[in-house]
Amino acid sequence: MGEQDPGGGKKTAKATKKAAVKKAPAVVKQAAEKKVPVKKAAAGKVPAKTVAVKPAKTESPTALVRRARRINRELAEVYPYAHPELDFENPFQLVVATVLSAQTTDLRVNQTTPALFAKYPTPEDLAAANPEEVEEILRPTGFFRAKTKSVIGLSKALVEDFGGEVPGRLEDLVKLPGVGRKTAFVVLGNAFGRPGITVDTHFQRLVRRWRWTAETDPDKIEAAIGALFPKSDWTDLSHHVIWHGRRICHARKPACGACPVAPLCPAYGEGETDPEKATKLLKYEKGGFPGQRLNPPQAYLDAGGKPAPPLGAG
């Protein structure tokens, strides 16, 4: 997909879910010599210091699996409502939106696709579309000529080769114009419920920071991370990692002092470690800012999340 907690004492999982959107958690100071569980700081109260316990420099395969799965469990508590951030109502809309998300934000795609799908609701409609008219709709997403060619091309392929239906197999999806393994796994995991790992730029950055793998090739990253987790975890794992990369573990200035998995992170200290300063770097959840979907899942809204504004609003 594209590029664009809190109680001073102990909290129940339910309370954590309700508060997670409004305030991302900060790490509470613990004994520096021990691995300790992450605790969430009360809203409006930031601990004076942060101490993260780094994993050993040399880590056995078993220890790596345990640490990786613990990180995923922690993130599942912080983002219990994590979901794909592209608006879609069916597999066709999802595959088109995912192709359009290249080199732009999911928010921009979500602000653009309502007009596209209103005019071309089916593969048959988009396959027969006038390219110039599609280009004009897709202009806000950038690279609109190439994207127009891809979405019209994949629509024609769906009509000609798959009876106008999006196929539910990886080997068929990757044959569609503009669809690679990353896009295919987004569609399989979120439209068909078939597990897949989405290796986008956020995912690549974080798994290397966490030293889950040193690979740089997306296919090799996919294989390496897939070996650490049961297949049933793959889709949710992708959401957790991508959400964390967008909201806390940023590319240029990660908010280390507000990170719920800092005690498990070998890269702790690459970003701002002061909790108060780190909190100012938080995105989306901070202050209940809108996410990227115009029509987010009910679980996100129940947790305090806000829908994004439509194109041209605000």
Side-chain angles (χ1 to χ4, degrees):
M1 287 186 284
E3 296 286 318
Q4 288 225 144
D5 259 306
K10 294 184 178 179
K11 277 273 192 181
T12 64
K14 184 176 181 180
T16 301
K17 290 180 181 179
K18 289 183 178 179
V21 174
K22 297 182 179 178
K23 198 76 168 179
V27 180
V28 177
K29 180 178 179 181
Q30 299 288 346
E33 302 301 321
K34 299 178 181 179
K35 286 187 177 181
V36 292
V38 176
K39 295 186 179 180
K40 282 68 179 178
K45 296 181 180 179
V46 181
K49 296 181 181 180
T50 297
V51 175
V53 183
K54 297 183 180 181
K57 291 183 179 180
T58 56
E59 190 172 35
S60 70
T62 300
L64 173 59
V65 168
R66 288 175 178 168
R67 181 169 63 87
R69 293 185 182 184
R70 184 178 170 192
I71 287 176
N72 188 41
R73 289 195 300 270
E74 294 283 354
L75 295 181
E77 279 194 35
V78 179
Y79 311 115
Y81 42 76
H83 54 267
E85 293 194 89
L86 289 167
D87 281 323
F88 69 98
E89 295 179 356
N90 53 56
F92 171 62
Q93 290 188 1
L94 180 57
V95 70
V96 169
T98 307
V99 168
L100 296 179
S101 69
Q103 302 300 313
T104 191
T105 64
D106 288 355
L107 172 58
R108 178 59 65 180
V109 174
N110 291 338
Q111 292 172 325
T112 304
T113 51
L116 180 70
F117 296 138
K119 190 168 186 176
Y120 311 107
T122 68
E124 290 82 0
D125 295 321
L126 192 51
N130 180 329
E132 292 183 357
E133 293 179 1
V134 176
E135 286 179 2
E136 194 58 34
I137 295 174
L138 300 185
R139 186 179 295 272
T141 68
F143 302 97
F144 57 93
R145 292 190 180 88
K147 290 179 180 180
T148 294
K149 183 177 180 180
S150 291
V151 298
I152 290 179
L154 75 84
S155 297
K156 288 180 178 178
L158 290 176
V159 172
E160 295 170 3
D161 301 332
F162 300 101
E165 299 290 332
V166 176
R169 300 194 312 163
L170 175 65
E171 52 267 41
D172 292 330
L173 283 168
V174 296
K175 293 177 183 177
L176 300 174
V179 177
R181 288 179 68 88
K182 183 189 81 171
T183 296
F185 280 131
V186 170
V187 175
L188 289 173
N190 299 290
F192 294 100
R194 296 174 183 172
I197 295 176
T198 303
V199 185
D200 74 349
T201 55
H202 298 291
F203 194 95
Q204 293 183 48
R205 180 176 74 253
L206 267 62
V207 298
R208 286 197 292 269
R209 277 183 176 166
W210 291 333
R211 295 182 191 166
W212 289 2
T213 181
E215 298 290 352
T216 56
D217 178 77
D219 291 350
K220 292 180 179 179
I221 291 173
E222 177 194 323
I225 305 309
L228 301 177
F229 295 88
K231 195 171 183 179
S232 59
D233 287 353
W234 288 357
T235 299
D236 284 342
L237 168 70
S238 299
H239 293 327
H240 297 154
V241 175
I242 291 169
W243 273 55
H244 192 60
R246 283 177 169 165
R247 287 155 175 79
I248 295 179
C249 196
H250 310 139
R252 294 184 180 178
K253 200 168 184 180
C256 295
C259 179
V261 297
L264 302 167
C265 180
Y268 174 79
E270 286 187 9
E272 180 58 65
T273 58
D274 179 83
E276 188 171 358
K277 293 180 181 178
T279 298
K280 294 179 181 179
L281 301 174
L282 301 184
K283 296 181 179 179
Y284 303 113
E285 271 67 16
K286 177 187 174 186
F289 289 163
Q292 301 206 33
R293 289 186 69 163
L294 279 68
N295 300 295
Q298 190 60 45
Y300 180 72
L301 298 175
D302 290 345
K306 298 180 181 179
L311 189 65

